[in-house]
DNA sequence: AGATTATGGTCAAGCAGCTTGACCAAATAG
DNA sequence: CTATTTGGTCAAGCTGCTTGACCATAATCT
């Protein structure tokens, strides 16, 4: 199996498992791309442009995605403290709960893998990946 | 950076580099998903259903993709030797040339990574990934 | 300062690629 | 030899993204 195929298969499988875990924990109407947006929003919020760059899509697409998350109650738009044009998108309590659920689901999935290849190996894998693609966007499609 | 994000970023970056390499070698009108279809078709051809399973999409979607590749001259449909319902999709000479170009581009990209983390590490990475997601579909999107 | 350009964001329209549903022909099962 | 399953296509529809236009604020330049 080619490396690219292996990477994609692993990434896809992990993404799907996390998504299933999130749904199983009772969060509805969320897609994997939302989860990656949450990851960018989590610490202190972010602008639509930040989310767009993180997901590797246009600002308009990110704006639509945020709008959807607002409708569903996962995030809210607040005025940006330093820039009157910008709006700071922050997670609501529901958004935080969903993020925690995703982290739990991810931990479960990684644990399952660690049982196959060993925990040290997983850490090594993670470290190598981080060295290879430090800050690339999380392309939701291609 | 979370493992899933690292996996996706790495997978996305590699996919994109391969794609750029293929385009730079003069092949037009091909998308990454086509390359993954080629990988399934490469040895001896495959049916539309096989391609669908490999890509993780419906038969209809795979059928459309194959139709597009036929139009562009990368593959052709032949009667299936053992089953009159089925049709064997095989690469044309152009399709083989494109596949070779993709392999070259992939080798270039992997070489660049190997310079960062070391060649042994790349092999180890590959082996671990293969152990983790042995035969999952290559989901083109989510 | 005022004029100009750049930046953050949204609205609107269009499109590519996927899905579901219906259907046909050949293969397999009863 | 009917009845069901399987491989494949046709058709219609939808979702999520893109490009293009536009507004308001910020930064830059005389």
């Amino acid at each position: 199996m080619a490396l690219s195929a292996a990477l994609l298969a692993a990434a896809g499988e992990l993404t799907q498992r996390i998504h299933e875990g999130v749904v199983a924990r009772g969060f509805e109407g969320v897609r994997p791309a939302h989860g990656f947006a949450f990851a960018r929003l989590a610490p202190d919020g972010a602008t639509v442009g930040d989310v767009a760059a993180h997901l590797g899509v246009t600002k308009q697409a990110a704006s639509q995605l945020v709008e959807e998350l607002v409708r569903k109650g996962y995030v809210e738009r607040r005025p940006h403290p330093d820039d009157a044009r910008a709006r700071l998108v922050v997670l609501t309590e529901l958004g935080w709960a969903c993020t925690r659920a995703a982290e739990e689901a991810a931990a479960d999935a990684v644990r399952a893998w660690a049982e196959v290849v060993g925990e040290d190996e997983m850490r090594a894998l993670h470290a190598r990946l981080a060295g290879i693609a430090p800050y690339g966007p999380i392309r939701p499609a291609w």
Side-chain angles (χ1 to χ4, degrees), chain A residues 1-15:
Chain A
M1 197 178 198
L3 177 60
S4 59
L7 268 170
L8 278 168
E13 189 172 327
L14 179 54
T15 302

Side-chain angles (χ1 to χ4, degrees), chain A residues 7-22:
Chain A
L7 268 170
L8 278 168
E13 189 172 327
L14 179 54
T15 302
Q16 196 174 344
R17 286 197 193 187
I18 293 173
H19 181 240
E20 285 165 359
V22 167

Side-chain angles (χ1 to χ4, degrees), chain A residues 19-107:
Chain A
H19 181 240
E20 285 165 359
V22 167
V23 171
R25 283 168 176 83
F27 297 90
E28 292 181 358
V30 278
R31 288 176 289 116
H34 297 151
F36 294 113
F38 289 175
R40 184 64 184 80
L41 298 173
D44 307 296
T47 67
V48 163
D50 293 335
V51 173
H54 186 241
L55 295 182
V57 298
T58 59
K59 279 188 307 180
Q60 291 92 322
S63 183
Q64 288 175 9
L65 190 146
V66 165
E67 173 58 28
E68 185 185 346
L69 290 175
V70 168
R71 274 204 325 271
K72 293 177 176 170
Y74 290 101
V75 308
E76 58 186 29
R77 301 187 221 244
R78 315 188 133 219
H80 194 288
D82 304 333
D83 189 334
R85 294 169 302 178
R87 313 172 78 174
L88 195 62
V89 181
V90 296
L91 292 176
T92 61
E93 195 42 59
L94 180 63
W96 279 107
C98 187
T99 299
R100 286 191 294 268
E103 281 168 3
E104 289 173 20

